[in-house]
Amino acid sequence: MSLTIEHLTKSYGANIAVNDISFRIDSGEVVGFLGPNGAGKSTTMKIITGCISADSGTVLINGTDIATGGTALKHAIGYLPENNPLYLNMYVREYLEYAAMMYMPQSETLSAVNYAVDAVGLGEHQYKKIGELSKGYRQRTGIARAMVHNPEILILDEPTTGLDPNQIVEIRNLIKELGKEKTVILSTHIMQEAEAVCNRAIIIRKGTIVADDTLAALKAHNTRRTIIVEFDQDIDPKKLSAIPGIDNVEGAGRQWQLTVSGDDTEARRAVFQFAAQNNIPLLELRRENSSLENIFHELTF
Ligand code: ADP
């Protein structure tokens, strides 16, 4: 099932939140919708899910405009809004059944709830009150609600915000699992999240798409590299800036991140020579593997 966005624009008063964006997502993709806070991610997701309307532009599912395609077409989408609003006084199954009833006759809700409980691994907690659940399981409940009608496309707005590191790993693994069967779009402002879960990233800045590619291709296009270096004593950053090939210096004391344009091998050699000439032992000198943070920074700053 494909989702196509064509020339979507949305303003709030004079503020253009989403400015003429277009993209297409096909079956089986897990796409990260990335951008800093305020970039327009939630607004785009709300438009796709029909929560708000766009000023102009269209959302197509399998080529049919969602605005005129009828209810069945809208049911192809499941949506986890930002901050996962839940009724804390309801029981998990009761809440999911309530959600299911919006999509189907009551006779079908039992199997729908069983499906959703199973899909997100809520089994052990399905008879508890939502308010008694940990944040991680509340998040699973929100995702179960989003998919209780078995939609083909799942739209998850900042699904790991507010979770602890273990819960983040669990929810990312769950999303990866769900991505085997569904088309998933998740928004995040964390590049590592996209790296952990997605095969493609759409990066948005101030309402405009600034990159749309596979993570591998985005990394390959990046010409900036970061060198991580630790000396055995405090170093004056001015001396590091003077090393040939170093564009930017960040850090303090003994530990530094040096940014380089183009080939970093020469620059690492120069850092080694600087340390040797000044008789300063080097404790660490390496190229940072993940260049995605750099790309995100370059494209969205
Ligand atoms: P993101 O999800 O990337 O953080 P949003 O889509 O929430 O970004 O916001 C995009 C822009 O639209 C921001 O400048 C934000 O302040 C503005 N905005 C979002 N929702 C509203 C609203 N309901 N009323 C007015 N401005 C809004």
Side-chain angles (χ1 to χ4, degrees):
M1 191 164 258
S2 69
L3 172 71
T4 310
I5 308 301
E6 286 179 347
H7 304 292
L8 225 52
T9 295
K10 171 80 183 175
S11 297
Y12 296 104
N15 180 14
I16 306 175
V18 173
N19 192 359
D20 191 23
I21 67 168
S22 301
F23 57 82
R24 179 190 162 100
I25 294 174
D26 286 307
S27 286
E29 285 191 283
V30 180
V31 176
F33 197 39
L34 290 148
N37 290 330
K41 305 181 294 294
S42 292
T43 302
T44 305
M45 290 181 146
K46 283 180 197 161
I47 295 169
I48 296 172
T49 52
C51 295
I52 58 172
S53 52
D55 298 337
S56 58
T58 40
V59 178
L60 306 155
I61 292 182
N62 280 346
T64 306
D65 189 341
I66 199 161
T68 53
T71 317
L73 203 62
K74 290 197 175 82
H75 287 186
I77 294 179
Y79 175 42
L80 174 75
E82 199 179 4
N83 303 322
N84 185 16
L86 292 167
Y87 295 114
L88 300 183
N89 282 326
M90 287 180 99
Y91 289 89
V92 171
R93 287 194 67 98
E94 180 191 21
Y95 174 67
L96 295 177
E97 183 168 355
Y98 168 70
M101 273 159 47
M102 292 183 224
Y103 296 98
M104 60 194 80
Q106 202 164 4
S107 57
E108 291 171 24
T109 58
L110 179 65
S111 60
V113 172
N114 286 342
Y115 157 75
V117 162
D118 216 36
V120 305
L122 261 175
E124 225 184 291
H125 302 281
Q126 60 182 311
Y127 297 108
K128 289 187 181 164
K129 254 191 185 174
I130 296 172
E132 291 168 12
L133 299 178
S134 67
K135 262 209 116 187
Y137 277 94
R138 286 186 198 183
Q139 206 65 0
R140 284 176 195 253
T141 306
I143 296 173
R145 196 211 61 83
M147 56 190 295
V148 73
H149 55 299
N150 200 4
E152 289 209 29
I153 301 167
L154 266 182
I155 299 196
L156 311 174
D157 197 353
E158 306 253 356
T160 62
T161 299
L163 302 183
D164 73 31
N166 293 337
Q167 293 165 340
I168 287 176
V169 172
E170 280 175 23
I171 295 297
R172 284 180 185 168
N173 286 340
L174 170 63
I175 294 169
K176 261 196 271 186
E177 269 311 300
L178 296 174
K180 290 179 184 164
E181 299 206 344
K182 314 245 174 238
T183 301
V184 181
I185 309 170
L186 71 111
S187 72
T188 177
H189 56 274
I190 309 163
M191 283 309 281
Q192 292 98 317
E193 181 134 303
E195 236 177 336
V197 183
C198 307
N199 25 52
R200 173 177 159 201
I202 297 173
I203 303 180
I204 182 169
R205 173 184 184 262
K206 294 185 180 169
T208 305
I209 290 176
V210 289
D212 178 358
D213 219 327
T214 61
L215 294 192
L218 281 172
K219 280 188 194 176
H221 285 148
N222 183 34
T223 54
R224 286 164 83 84
R225 301 267 181 268
T226 302
I227 296 171
I228 308 291
V229 58
E230 183 179 356
F231 300 95
D232 202 18
Q233 66 187 56
D234 289 355
I235 304 287
D236 179 353
K238 283 195 205 107
K239 290 189 176 159
L240 296 177
S241 302
I243 297 173
I246 304 297
D247 285 350
N248 190 39
V249 173
E250 277 179 47
R254 299 166 174 224
Q255 291 178 318
W256 298 90
Q257 290 178 35
L258 312 175
T259 311
V260 179
S261 292
D263 180 18
D264 62 289
T265 309
E266 242 349 279
R268 276 185 287 147
R269 213 171 268 142
V271 173
F272 176 82
Q273 275 159 2
F274 161 81
Q277 278 159 10
N278 291 283
N279 208 13
I280 306 165
L282 266 179
L283 301 180
E284 185 176 18
L285 176 61
R286 67 179 164 90
R287 172 172 57 194
E288 192 174 50
N289 282 332
S290 168
S291 49
L292 274 179
E293 286 294 342
N294 281 343
I295 302 163
F296 184 76
H297 191 68
E298 254 178 52
L299 292 172
T300 62
F301 197 59

